[in-house]
Amino acid sequence: MTDLDLSAAELAELEANFAYPLAVSPQVQDLLFREARTAYAFTDQPVSDEQLRAVHDLVKWAPTAMNAQPLRIALIRTPEARERLLGHLAEGNKAKSATAPVIAVLAADLDFHDELPKVFPVSPGARNAFSDEQRREQSALFNSALQIGYFLVAVRAAGLAAGPMGGFDADGVAREFFPDGRHRVLLVVNIGHPADSAFRPRLPRLGYDDVVTTV
Amino acid sequence: MTDLDLSAAELAELEANFAYPLAVSPQVQDLLFREARTAYAFTDQPVSDEQLRAVHDLVKWAPTAMNAQPLRIALIRTPEARERLLGHLAEGNKAKSATAPVIAVLAADLDFHDELPKVFPVSPGARNAFSDEQRREQSALFNSALQIGYFLVAVRAAGLAAGPMGGFDADGVAREFFPDGRHRVLLVVNIGHPADSAFRPRLPRLGYDDVVTTV
């Protein structure tokens, strides 16, 4: 017994909820990062539009350079659209997308600068600063990838499993779902509730001292 | 009164903790996304190594293609290192970094494939698949940007404010902190506790129907 006169059960509950040195509980840490896993198979439990709108309502607030928000999303829900996608996936990825109730195709808008007068009104010249196509593409790709990082965390914050996949014909997928030729498809993400067979063994992670230097 | 016989206070607490349709509480949603803001000035309250290690301990679990984890981080803590950085920042960014107790320089390791035998042992040929420098660079940039998205959310999960900045001489910063010539600096992030003057007015966000199509 401690001076606080806590029962063992109360002490265990306190410890389980003790976030230090972080500001979110171990349960949230697990849900978003530590126990979250890339899913390769899904149950038939549906994902609602309400959940997907709530995910976007979080993601939209996370920062991008000049608030440009270049990420665009095609959500695949119908069997017809799924068939059109499957034709462009690597063979090894087709089965992973077969059972997902929703598949998100994530793309960078290469003409995101057209929105800058609306989203970055503090700098009226911002749009013209991206008249150079190479600079614009580089910014579109980097900031869309940032937003994809936010998106994957937010999908988990909805209690859903995400299965990001890089193996597909990006030009083919773009022609299907972003046919204006002004988008670059970066990632395909299966979304749903994980089936029993959803996960593969955890792979090794690099340690703090492998990736961080302090100066 | 309801059939559950809750007091008004109990009902208010229930509502405040009601996450639906998400799986984390509104408080966590606010901390990580909705109320989190890019900070431009910081108090002198320190950021501990323990906090930064805990941030990495979350970020490391989030997914990257082939588990490659190409992001590398230089944490700037000493006045000398800060001075070296400031010389490469755009004029308008120098004051933002002047008060941050820690500044993270985030870079892509262009030779991340050397770690693949360790981090992706399930595919012994993975390293050779990246012998093409252009393919390797593209993968390094995309997956590092993903990891930067995770990193910014995890900094917030530590109760800290992040101030990401894109205005700097990337080659100059790389020469200072990643002098092997094999890293690309992508973002500089001021980290700490926000000062009273930390925030600018919120900028407009694109809506769900502006960025999402459903097929």
Side-chain angles (χ1 to χ4, degrees), chain A residues 32 96 200:
Chain A
L32 302 184
K96 299 176 195 169
R200 296 184 182 163

Side-chain angles (χ1 to χ4, degrees), chain A residues 20 23 33 50 56 60-61 67 69 73 75 77-78 150 152 157 202-206 208 211-213 215, chain B residues 20 23 33 50 56 60-61 67 69 73 75 77-78 150 157 202-206 208 211-213 215:
Chain A
Y20 182 86
F33 291 101
E50 198 180 1
H56 171 260
K60 73 178 181 185
W61 295 116
N67 193 39
Q69 312 164 61
I73 304 175
L75 293 176
R77 282 219 175 263
T78 63
Y150 307 142
L152 293 172
R202 195 79 155 177
L203 290 164
R205 259 45 176 193
L206 297 174
Y208 187 82
V211 301
V212 178
T213 54
V215 289
Chain B
Y20 181 84
F33 291 100
E50 199 179 2
H56 171 260
K60 71 178 182 186
W61 294 118
N67 193 39
Q69 309 164 64
I73 303 174
L75 293 176
R77 279 214 174 271
T78 63
Y150 308 142
R202 194 78 152 177
L203 290 164
R205 260 46 176 191
L206 297 174
Y208 188 81
V211 300
V212 177
T213 54
V215 287

